[in-house]
Amino acid sequence: MPATDLEQIVSLCKRRGFVYQSAEIYGGFRSTYDYGPLGSLLLRNVKEAWVRSMVQQRDDVVLIDAAILSPPQVWQASGHLANFSDPLVDCTECKQRFRLDKLDDPDVCPNCDSKKSFTEAREFNLMFKTYMGALEESASIVYLRPETAQGIFVNFLNVQQSMRQKVPFGIAQIGKAFRNEITPGNFIFRTREFEQMEMQFFVEPGTDMEWFEQWKQLRMEWHLALGLSPERLQFHQHGAGELAHYARAAFDVTFDFGGTLGFQEIEGVHNRGDFDLTQHQQFSSKKLEYYDQLNNKRYVPYVIETSVGADRVTLAALVNAYREESVEGEDEGRVVLGLHPSIAPIKAAIFPLTKKDGQPEMAKGILNDLRMAFPMDYDESGSIGKRYRRQDEVGTPFCITVDGQSTTDQTVTVRDRDTLAQDRIDASQLKSYLAAKLVG
């Protein structure tokens, strides 16, 4: 049975070391979370899967890592200073704040049910502002980036010329972004500090919609390859009233988180036209054109953007993988994270059946050999059943047991997380066995 409530995921994440409330010993810090030992590995695996697909396996996309702090001119050119805001209202009864555009009924407070209790809406800019240097004055204002895309645009010429790229080509980046959200919530789905995986693909004007359709399909295929269920994924097309000020066309890849969340965006694919490069060209007075030598012409490229929330995809993977099921012959059921092997934090765990007869020594020898190739875990505490259950809960695809027979013939049992089937194989074949299973 899948998770019916997000609280099941939140509980598992804290209990098993995936995600903790930030500064919990001080009562927590609202909508801020820390990734624990297993969560940091899961998040890293998601990001590495993105880099493999987006950069490593392509000839036309390169990776950069731009600065988090940016001067006001960048955000003035991008439109963020003027347009990056949400309509904010306050309830005069319960003193809670809300985004007006997210209220089911703009006349009723969802917190205290008061009617006609909202203040007049006012625009609330979502960027975090700070100061560079010793003095807090207007000349030293800088902003934490609300998206990673602008670091790509301002480096367009640097990358194109230094890497000798020809249009069409893309620039990818993974990094932190910060938004002073009015109503963050739903665990790591919407936070004020989050991580984006963005790629801006520069194309010749007139070819943009063809590339837009290609990238739309490629991005859906990536989510499916990550193990997300097809029935929980769908596209949402932005209507005229939803399009951002820069967008010519936009689709979201949405995932069904279940419960009250339902289908929500985990990635956006946008045709940004030439808005960004044209704006930065105007505000910086630097030409951001591409010279097509073959056809002897210059133009400002159009941009197809793919923007993924790393935290949202990680949460989607957890929700998608979580299940509770009964096991034949056992009174207690089990909780399983059926994570795709490519993103599972631990690829295999190894157990000595007992703490004697040379079994721990053999198990640790196998562990030291395998951990050079795979993230591994070792557990000799509790019954073998309890050890299996602990690994099922964190998504470990395979469990290896060293038993009495192992020390005599050098074979071990390998148990599959999902099928519960056990194979008896020679310990010397474990590396190739796991490699084939984890890749396949």
Side-chain angles (χ1 to χ4, degrees), residues 213-225:
E213 291 298 328
Q214 284 193 40
W215 278 111
K216 196 178 82 172
Q217 295 306 317
L218 286 171
R219 297 312 304 146
M220 179 63 82
E221 290 170 10
W222 182 79
H223 290 285
L224 291 168

Side-chain angles (χ1 to χ4, degrees), residues 237-292:
Q237 182 176 9
H238 286 217
E242 296 177 277
L243 283 174
H245 63 278
Y246 54 75
R248 293 164 57 87
F251 275 81
D252 293 336
V253 178
T254 64
F255 175 82
D256 183 7
F257 288 91
T260 57
L261 259 181
F263 278 95
Q264 296 289 339
E265 175 195 355
I266 56 175
E267 174 164 9
V269 183
H270 313 121
N271 181 345
R272 298 180 73 118
D274 62 358
F275 173 83
D276 300 279
L277 292 182
T278 298
Q279 286 291 104
H280 286 298
Q281 183 171 260
Q282 176 187 337
F283 278 78
S284 68
S285 300
K286 306 288 186 183
K287 283 199 174 293
L288 299 179
E289 297 175 330
Y290 173 74
Y291 176 56
D292 182 350

Side-chain angles (χ1 to χ4, degrees), residues 12-20 34-47 188 314 317-318 337 339 342-349 375-378 389-397:
L12 173 70
C13 283
K14 180 179 179 181
R15 186 173 71 251
R16 304 298 285 131
F18 283 92
V19 182
Y20 311 125
D34 300 330
Y35 284 88
L38 295 185
S40 59
L41 289 175
L42 175 60
L43 179 64
R44 188 185 73 177
N45 291 343
V46 168
K47 293 188 287 188
I188 57 174
T314 299
L318 288 166
L337 273 187
L339 293 167
S342 66
I343 60 172
I346 301 167
K347 306 305 183 190
M376 299 288 296
D377 192 22
Y378 177 86
R389 295 295 173 262
R390 286 197 285 263
Q391 297 299 329
D392 291 341
E393 249 191 342
V394 300
T396 305

Side-chain angles (χ1 to χ4, degrees), residues 63-307:
L63 189 69
I64 69 166
D65 188 358
I68 287 174
L69 294 173
S70 298
Q73 295 95 315
V74 170
W75 308 112
Q76 186 180 4
S78 69
H80 282 80
L81 283 180
N83 300 311
F84 197 60
S85 58
D86 286 334
L88 169 69
V89 293
D90 294 284
C91 176
T92 56
E93 295 296 326
C94 66
K95 312 303 181 187
Q96 293 293 306
R97 287 178 172 172
F98 304 94
R99 277 181 59 178
L100 179 61
D101 58 330
K102 295 295 183 180
L103 292 172
D104 293 330
D105 187 336
D107 293 322
V108 179
C109 175
N111 185 59
C112 68
D113 295 325
S114 297
K115 296 181 179 180
K116 304 288 186 181
S117 62
F118 289 130
T119 60
E120 287 293 320
R122 59 193 188 277
E123 291 300 314
F124 176 77
N125 194 281
L126 301 179
M127 286 196 295
F128 282 100
K129 180 171 67 175
T130 186
Y131 297 89
M132 183 81 80
L135 298 177
E136 293 189 5
E137 56 187 13
S138 60
S140 61
I141 290 175
V142 295
Y143 292 91
L144 300 182
R145 63 187 182 194
E147 64 178 23
T148 60
Q150 300 306 317
I152 293 175
F153 297 130
V154 299
N155 278 296
F156 165 71
L157 273 189
N158 286 334
V159 173
Q160 187 269 315
Q161 294 173 355
S162 64
M163 302 306 293
R164 297 180 294 116
Q165 291 292 323
K166 290 183 170 62
V167 169
F169 77 96
I171 303 175
Q173 178 173 204
I174 297 177
K176 291 277 191 178
F178 307 84
R179 296 180 184 178
N180 196 10
E181 297 276 3
I182 298 169
T183 54
N186 292 312
F187 196 33
I188 57 174
F189 178 80
R190 187 184 302 278
T191 56
R192 293 187 172 99
E193 173 188 347
F194 54 96
E195 202 153 12
Q196 288 184 309
M197 306 184 291
E198 293 197 315
M199 192 278 303
Q200 312 298 326
F201 198 74
F202 301 91
V203 304
E204 184 177 351
T207 67
D208 48 305
M209 286 310 297
E210 178 184 348
W211 280 109
F212 177 76
E213 291 298 328
Q214 284 193 40
W215 278 111
K216 196 178 82 172
Q217 295 306 317
L218 286 171
R219 297 312 304 146
M220 179 63 82
E221 290 170 10
W222 182 79
H223 290 285
L224 291 168
L226 211 62
L228 300 186
S229 301
E231 63 272 15
R232 300 186 84 150
L233 288 166
Q234 65 182 27
F235 282 117
H236 167 71
Q237 182 176 9
H238 286 217
E242 296 177 277
L243 283 174
H245 63 278
Y246 54 75
R248 293 164 57 87
F251 275 81
D252 293 336
V253 178
T254 64
F255 175 82
D256 183 7
F257 288 91
T260 57
L261 259 181
F263 278 95
Q264 296 289 339
E265 175 195 355
I266 56 175
E267 174 164 9
V269 183
H270 313 121
N271 181 345
R272 298 180 73 118
D274 62 358
F275 173 83
D276 300 279
L277 292 182
T278 298
Q279 286 291 104
H280 286 298
Q281 183 171 260
Q282 176 187 337
F283 278 78
S284 68
S285 300
K286 306 288 186 183
K287 283 199 174 293
L288 299 179
E289 297 175 330
Y290 173 74
Y291 176 56
D292 182 350
Q293 288 183 316
L294 187 63
N295 295 298
N296 192 29
K297 63 180 181 179
R298 295 180 181 274
Y299 56 83
V300 175
Y302 277 19
V303 175
I304 307 303
E305 173 183 68
T306 73
S307 178

Side-chain angles (χ1 to χ4, degrees), residues 21-35:
Q21 176 75 53
S22 186
E24 187 176 9
I25 62 172
Y26 291 100
F29 193 44
R30 188 178 176 221
S31 298
T32 308
Y33 296 92
D34 300 330
Y35 284 88

